[in-house]
Amino acid sequence: MSTTVRTRFAPSPTGYLHVGGARTALYAYLFAKKLGGKFLLRIEDTDQKRFVEGAMENLMSSLKWLGIEWDEGPDLPDNGGPHGPYIQSQRNDKYRAAVDQLLTSGHAYKCFCTQEELEEMRRKQEARHEAPMYNRKCCALTPAEVEEKIASGVPFVIRQKIPEGMVIVEDLIRGKVRFDSKSIDDQVLVKSDGFPTYHLANVVDDHDMEITHVIRGEEWLPSTPKHIWLYQAFGWTPPEYAHLSLLLNADRSKLSKRQGDVAVEEYIQKGYMREAIINFIAFLGWHPGKGIEKEIYSIEELVQDFSLENVHKSGAIFNIEKLDWYNWQWRRRKFLEAVEHDPSARTALIIAECDQYLAPEYKNNSELLARALKTVEEKIIQNPKPANDYIKFFFTAPEFKPEIVYSEKMKVDEAIVKQVVPEVTSALSEISDSDWTEEKIKETLMAIVAKLGLKNGQIFWPIRAILTGEQFSPGVFEVVWALGKEETMKRLKNIV
Ligand code: GLU
């Protein structure tokens, strides 16, 4: 077996890339990359009935968009890599050779039972309250009987002869999981159409492709004993296994389409950033470790810190609000990085974030717009859609709203307003245009606080509330600065 770690993602092309699949692919990718290994993509299309046109291309483009790139896989040059082809429907000769080996060694046998016979068998077993299992009727056929049936064209499948005894799966996430062969059916390895089933193709390919670690969803755990018996029958060393727990809805039911979007593609279309999706998916069942609070990880940082020991055994809840949070954090991180790189681009970057939502009349007043947007940067980064609402008070003077301006909590009543507003108006009018900065405005208002012997809020609250007409808004210094001297004076003078 290869000494280099080799993992694979082995989707069946039956539709889109499910978020659960994306997580499996990501963990397999991170695990391999962390250990300097290789990550492979293999398409498992043995079930031709479930084949969906375009699904393979779709899976590959979603993975690529996420930045989960494979070292070997169907679309790469030179047959996809040293173990190509990487599409199972193109590897049938390998499965045929492998199953012949099993037939010769007695680990597999041909079964000629018809659907009706199998159903009859199942009915009888159910009546006896037994688990429905193939009764091995065809295992008892002599070679001559087998030949005769083949010669007369009776269709057959090839079954795995499950040996007696126990198998212990040493799962890297779950520990030891025991299986008793008594409860395991003689699995079909080759269907009557000559195509292998998932089980045969999966084991033959994992061996041929020198996979060292199989990382996959827990729905495959019950198949693992069959796979281990196949490895034993072939005389091959099995890979290590890690089975990932399910993704759950908030009510702990299995994540399903009914409760929201499960296709990565839909999140891409909704405009989520790839970094946010990767970060979110990584944390669905993994944590960097006890006491580590860092939550924002790029894919490169994940490669460094990922380990299967920190993957949880229990199901992970898929919480869309958390994805929104990651998206916000990533938009913020990208914005700050860009601004650090080029401070003069700040305004242009923020406008770019919300340009499509802005009212034309706001865009016409570009100087005020730039200042207004500066006061609501965080909100725009979090959610640019309501941009107009955030800044409308800059463009339209509000009415005087006593229910907001007067506040028992802030100890602001009519008398305080009558005292404070003229003081503020006159002090601000003293500031020259060139000195009109947030810093200077703050200094000026703080001086009034000291002079009148009032609390900060008794000055800041009514001024801000008069200027904005809003219960919540950016802080008073920012608002005064962005509105500008003339407009601030106008709004304050109107009320006294
Ligand atoms: N083709 C299987 C799937 O669609 C792969 C299971 C495995 O990784 O072994 O999930």
Side-chain angles (χ1 to χ4, degrees):
M1 189 179 294
S2 170
T3 48
T4 318
V5 164
R6 290 170 62 85
T7 64
R8 81 321 188 255
F9 178 50
S12 299
T14 52
Y16 45 80
L17 178 63
H18 187 282
V19 280
R23 183 190 57 167
T24 305
L26 178 64
Y27 285 10
Y29 170 87
L30 296 175
F31 182 78
K33 296 292 144 182
K34 158 121 199 181
L35 299 170
K38 298 261 188 268
F39 170 70
L40 282 66
L41 176 67
R42 179 174 76 227
I43 301 297
E44 299 209 325
D45 59 348
T46 53
D47 194 350
Q48 295 287 318
K49 288 197 289 292
R50 293 176 66 216
F51 180 79
V52 177
E53 193 61 46
M56 180 173 94
E57 292 70 21
N58 214 326
L59 281 164
M60 296 204 292
S61 69
S62 294
L63 286 169
K64 281 198 176 137
W65 186 87
L66 287 171
I68 304 174
E69 300 268 357
W70 43 96
D71 301 294
E72 297 169 30
D75 59 332
L76 296 176
D78 300 327
N79 211 18
H83 303 279
Y86 291 81
I87 300 181
Q88 288 187 329
S89 58
Q90 297 169 11
R91 297 171 59 85
N92 223 5
D93 49 336
K94 292 194 194 288
Y95 312 132
R96 265 180 225 280
V99 87
D100 282 348
Q101 187 186 330
L102 295 180
L103 287 168
T104 310
S105 62
H107 290 98
Y109 60 93
K110 293 183 173 133
C111 169
F112 300 88
C113 291
T114 61
Q115 273 313 317
E116 294 72 42
E117 283 176 289
L118 294 172
E119 264 154 41
E120 177 63 20
M121 199 182 296
R122 203 170 304 139
R123 265 199 299 277
K124 284 186 181 157
Q125 286 164 334
E126 272 165 14
R128 292 197 299 266
H129 303 291
E130 291 170 9
M133 296 240 272
Y134 181 61
N135 67 4
R136 290 211 167 151
K137 189 177 148 214
C138 289
C139 197
L141 294 174
T142 64
E145 286 169 323
V146 169
E147 282 316 311
E148 193 197 308
K149 283 184 186 287
I150 292 174
S152 43
V154 183
F156 64 89
V157 300
I158 300 176
R159 288 184 184 271
Q160 178 182 8
K161 192 170 170 194
I162 299 285
E164 273 177 30
M166 302 281 293
V167 157
I168 297 174
V169 177
E170 297 273 358
D171 190 272
L172 292 169
I173 296 169
R174 276 141 222 284
K176 287 189 195 335
V177 190
R178 290 185 171 72
F179 293 91
D180 189 338
S181 71
K182 280 203 204 83
S183 59
I184 297 176
D185 206 1
D186 278 0
Q187 183 66 52
V188 173
L189 298 177
V190 177
K191 292 172 280 184
S192 55
D193 60 7
F195 279 102
T197 56
Y198 153 75
H199 303 281
L200 177 67
N202 189 270
V203 165
V204 169
D205 286 350
D206 279 345
H207 172 72
D208 185 60
M209 296 176 181
E210 299 184 42
I211 298 303
T212 58
H213 294 78
V214 166
I215 299 173
R216 63 185 173 195
E218 78 177 347
E219 66 272 29
W220 301 105
L221 185 58
S223 300
T224 309
K226 300 174 193 172
H227 297 179
I228 290 181
W229 276 312
L230 279 176
Y231 279 99
Q232 287 172 358
F234 284 121
W236 301 335
T237 311
E240 305 245 26
Y241 289 98
H243 287 91
L244 309 174
S245 53
L246 289 176
L247 296 187
L248 306 173
N249 295 304
D251 63 3
R252 303 202 72 83
S253 58
K254 189 178 164 198
L255 186 66
S256 68
K257 179 99 190 118
R258 267 172 293 126
Q259 301 214 10
D261 294 331
V262 291
V264 169
E265 216 180 313
E266 286 166 280
Y267 292 98
I268 298 175
Q269 272 156 20
K270 282 187 184 159
Y272 285 97
M273 288 176 67
R274 86 190 59 213
E275 290 86 347
I277 301 181
I278 286 284
N279 204 155
F280 170 67
I281 289 175
F283 274 75
L284 287 174
W286 171 82
H287 192 271
K290 263 213 179 86
I292 300 177
E293 275 168 22
K294 176 172 169 177
E295 277 190 279
I296 303 303
Y297 279 79
S298 65
I299 196 160
E300 293 78 19
E301 290 168 315
L302 287 167
V303 166
Q304 283 191 351
D305 288 7
F306 186 78
S307 77
L308 285 175
E309 286 97 75
N310 288 331
V311 171
H312 312 315
K313 280 195 207 107
S314 53
I317 308 258
F318 185 90
N319 175 354
I320 189 82
E321 278 124 47
K322 195 75 201 196
L323 173 58
D324 288 335
W325 183 82
Y326 278 115
N327 206 48
W328 168 32
Q329 295 300 315
W330 270 101
R331 286 164 59 92
R332 200 159 171 256
R333 181 160 156 170
K334 291 277 169 190
F335 173 74
L336 293 175
E337 273 169 15
V339 166
E340 197 179 336
H341 183 69
D342 179 8
S344 69
R346 190 169 197 123
T347 308
L349 283 168
I350 276 293
I351 292 182
E353 292 283 337
C354 58
D355 190 51
Q356 59 173 310
Y357 308 112
L358 287 174
E361 63 271 27
Y362 296 175
K363 288 197 208 181
N364 288 341
N365 191 345
S366 60
E367 277 182 30
L368 179 58
L369 177 68
R371 293 198 306 270
L373 288 177
K374 189 167 187 308
T375 69
V376 291
E377 264 176 17
E378 275 291 331
K379 289 172 82 112
I380 298 277
I381 292 167
Q382 188 169 6
N383 181 10
K385 283 191 192 138
N388 289 329
D389 282 346
Y390 304 152
I391 57 173
K392 63 175 189 295
F393 64 82
F394 284 107
F395 295 87
T396 315
E399 286 169 19
F400 181 80
K401 294 183 184 149
E403 70 281 13
I404 295 182
V405 177
Y406 303 143
S407 158
E408 217 171 298
K409 191 170 152 233
M410 304 307 292
K411 297 195 168 53
V412 175
D413 57 14
E414 202 180 335
I416 290 281
V417 171
K418 287 225 153 80
Q419 183 187 9
V420 162
V421 171
E423 285 284 347
V424 170
T425 318
S426 107
L428 290 179
S429 70
E430 305 276 300
I431 305 178
S432 71
D433 285 351
S434 56
D435 266 358
W436 192 258
T437 61
E438 264 181 66
E439 214 23 63
K440 182 73 189 168
I441 292 162
K442 181 175 176 186
E443 210 177 277
T444 309
L445 296 191
M446 293 302 284
I448 300 174
V449 169
K451 180 176 164 198
L452 301 182
L454 295 173
K455 289 191 183 317
N456 288 356
Q458 289 176 297
I459 312 273
F460 304 163
W461 178 271
I463 298 297
R464 195 196 55 77
I466 292 162
L467 295 175
T468 67
E470 306 277 349
Q471 188 85 25
F472 305 102
S473 76
V476 65
F477 315 129
E478 284 173 282
V479 168
V480 169
W481 167 78
L483 266 183
K485 190 165 153 186
E486 200 182 316
E487 181 66 18
T488 303
M489 294 296 134
K490 211 162 105 193
R491 291 189 188 186
L492 291 177
K493 277 186 178 145
N494 272 349
I495 72 116
V496 278

